[in-house]
Amino acid sequence: MQNAIALLDCNNFYASCERVFDAAIKTKPVVVLSNNDGCVIARSEEAKQIGVTMGAPLFKVESLLEDNDAEIFSSNYPLYGDMSNRVMNLLHNFTPEVEIYSIDEAFLNLEPRKHSLDTLAYSIREKMYKWTGIPISIGIAETKVLAKIANKRAKKLELKAQGVLNLYRSDKTEGILKETNVDDVWGIGYRSGLKLRTNNILTAWQLRETDNRFIRRLLTVVGARIALELRGVKCLPFEQVVTKKHSITCSRSFGQTVSNYKLIKEATLYFLTRACEKMRKHNLAANAVTVFIGTDRFRPMPEAYSNSATYSSTYPTDSNQEIQEWTIQTLERIFKQGFEYRKAGIILSGLVPSEQLTKRMFEDERFQRQHKLMKAIDEINQKFGKDTVRFGSVKTEGSWKMKQTRKSQSYTTNWNELLIVR
Amino acid sequence: MQEIENFSGRVFIGGKFDFGKREFSDDLLIPFILSKVSAGFPSPADDYIESNINLNRELIRHPDTTFLVRASGDSMINVGIHPNTTLMVDRMIETKSGDIVIARIGDEMCVKELFIDDDGKVLLMPKNENYKPIEITEDLDFEIWGKVVCSINKH
């Protein structure tokens, strides 16, 4: 018997994370804002119902939210990241075959012979809620594409109470595919959707029933695979293996625009410090650093500028001092006076395991000293808090700091911000 | 892409980047990290050292369902929970009568002893004579959040 694929999706994930720790917002509309408190990026069910749209700029919905006694949060990524990690780890209690697809979605590979799929799905949903406080929806089917459709459907209102839809070998599949727009099929983008619609293929069911040679001519092999998945033929691989990090990025939008070189440099070196810490934590060393800066995306041409540059070295290193030298040289090349910068960031790439540094260590006494120094600095900062020891050239977060006026506490990651109980 | 020779390395100018990418800092993903406690034995005893004591391993049964919260009032003072005591809560463990639990009543989170009598009546018991038990009736919006497995008091 063919294995079943389940897609688990945390409902309104960011808003749900906030609710786990804030008893006062259990029944209120909740929204979470993007970086710098710009737009709505997550909504609780109640917020959807009062008509707050995804991506709406805060200033447009602020009065609506106030009128409905809604709770507004700045994004709290440490909290969401930690909660996501817990959810994903816990899924391994049900099957070892888990593919983490995004921060709030995972595919599970289930053997229908071993368990009743419905019973299992309900039990996963119930346990995950009890263990983490996060509500989830589950869609089950023969393939990933069908599981996606089942999941979307499980979220729909009439099924909310259960949050589970099992389409594995189900006679409900045909009806649901007939009600699913072809554009809503996973993997069908805007252009493919347009091509299908001009050929009068409007629903997922029609796509499934169309001759595969025709689909292949229209949408290449990629589209043909999706059509096959709709027929219950597995074409998309189950990817369990976590790929090793290829690069580490640290970038942020500034709370206000910055035009001064000194401030841009400070921000860039701050990002670099964070990225280097992360890199050493994974026992990696970098061969290259990319620096990028940019003005607001929406600025008209004469005031718009963005550029990036990469410095790549012969030797990999894990020392801030060395990477800082590379970064400053690179930044100097792309920085232009007279622009109002909104974003900056750095990417460490060409990552290699730091054991590979040993060879260099023996050759280069200066490097060896730096390597030890960095390890010591990381240990001190871990013990006594971020930036207890830092390089003189690196300032702590300055005027470019992210605007986050409504952030909740880091309940799960900061000793001083724990949930208070009476 | 333009390439410029530079010291031991090379600089490339240009290229596209996705500014909107989300980043999660890995160092925040592991719930609690305590630094290693070195046993500090003199060398003749080295042979007898098995490993260091790791408090996380001793105290946390289910790391993914374990959360830390902080007590504020004095209603649980008789079981050693004072204002500012840090409580370790495991949400995976099934709670039973007699357990110290974190519960949500309406919009408030509290720590109390769970008491279920023979008739199935549920009470939240404070551990301080100055406070009264709270009876959990049908109409209360009530939820058990997790079981307190450990209290941490600094002295």
Side-chain angles (χ1 to χ4, degrees), chain A residues 14 20 82 86 89 129-130 249 278 281-282 292 308-312 314 347 413 415 419 421-422, chain B residues 6 8-12 14 17 19 22-24 26-29 64 66 70 72 91 109 111 143 145:
Chain A
Y14 296 174
V20 173
D82 178 62
R86 288 167 185 260
N89 288 345
Y129 182 75
K130 184 179 176 294
T249 307
K278 198 193 253 186
K281 185 153 226 168
H282 289 275
F292 54 88
S308 69
T310 301
Y311 181 101
S312 82
T314 323
I347 301 169
T413 52
W415 180 260
L419 170 68
V421 295
R422 294 172 53 85
Chain B
N6 196 326
S8 62
R10 286 162 298 160
V11 175
F12 298 97
F17 288 94
F19 285 115
R22 270 211 304 268
E23 266 297 298
F24 298 100
D26 282 346
D27 55 2
L28 296 159
L29 296 182
D64 292 314
T66 300
R70 192 152 288 142
S72 71
R91 298 189 61 157
M109 303 284 281
V111 52
E143 183 180 39
W145 202 84

Side-chain angles (χ1 to χ4, degrees), chain A residues 14 19-21 23-27 77-78 80-83 85-87 89-90 93 103 129-133 245 247-251 253 277-278 281-282 290-294 297 306-315 326 329-330 333-334 343-345 347 382-383 411-413 415-422, chain B residues 1 4-33 35-36 62-76 84 86-87 90-95 102-112 131 141 143-146 152 154:
Chain A
Y14 296 174
R19 273 199 176 148
V20 173
F21 299 94
I25 61 168
K26 269 275 140 42
T27 52
Y77 287 124
Y80 313 148
D82 178 62
M83 291 303 285
N85 213 29
R86 288 167 185 260
V87 168
N89 288 345
L90 286 166
N93 282 293
I103 186 167
Y129 182 75
K130 184 179 176 294
W131 293 346
T132 63
K245 279 186 185 293
S247 64
I248 292 172
T249 307
C250 185
S251 75
S253 301
E277 274 170 12
K278 198 193 253 186
K281 185 153 226 168
H282 289 275
T290 300
V291 181
F292 54 88
I293 50 174
R297 214 187 308 219
S306 72
N307 205 352
S308 69
T310 301
Y311 181 101
S312 82
S313 154
T314 323
Y315 293 107
W326 305 352
Q329 284 171 27
T330 314
R333 294 194 175 272
I334 55 171
K343 287 155 185 160
I347 301 169
Q382 208 181 329
K383 222 179 211 164
Y411 298 106
T412 59
T413 52
W415 180 260
N416 298 313
E417 296 185 15
L418 301 179
L419 170 68
I420 306 286
V421 295
R422 294 172 53 85
Chain B
M1 251 193 214
I4 298 164
E5 283 295 326
N6 196 326
F7 300 89
S8 62
R10 286 162 298 160
V11 175
F12 298 97
I13 309 258
K16 255 182 82 186
F17 288 94
D18 180 9
F19 285 115
K21 249 189 175 170
R22 270 211 304 268
E23 266 297 298
F24 298 100
S25 164
D26 282 346
D27 55 2
L28 296 159
L29 296 182
I30 301 159
F32 333 106
I33 303 160
S35 50
K36 267 192 194 169
H62 311 112
D64 292 314
T65 56
T66 300
F67 297 85
L68 295 180
V69 304
R70 192 152 288 142
S72 71
D74 59 356
S75 70
M76 297 296 281
N84 256 336
T86 303
L87 306 171
D90 189 340
R91 298 189 61 157
M92 198 183 272
I93 300 175
E94 293 293 332
T95 47
I102 302 296
R104 180 180 67 84
I105 307 172
D107 59 6
E108 216 174 286
M109 303 284 281
C110 63
V111 52
K112 296 283 175 291
Y131 291 80
D141 176 20
E143 183 180 39
I144 292 182
W145 202 84
I152 304 163
K154 289 188 183 176

Side-chain angles (χ1 to χ4, degrees), chain A residues 201-213:
Chain A
I201 300 167
L202 306 176
T203 67
W205 181 256
Q206 285 171 322
L207 176 59
R208 171 189 160 125
E209 292 298 289
T210 309
D211 181 67
N212 220 39
R213 278 165 299 183

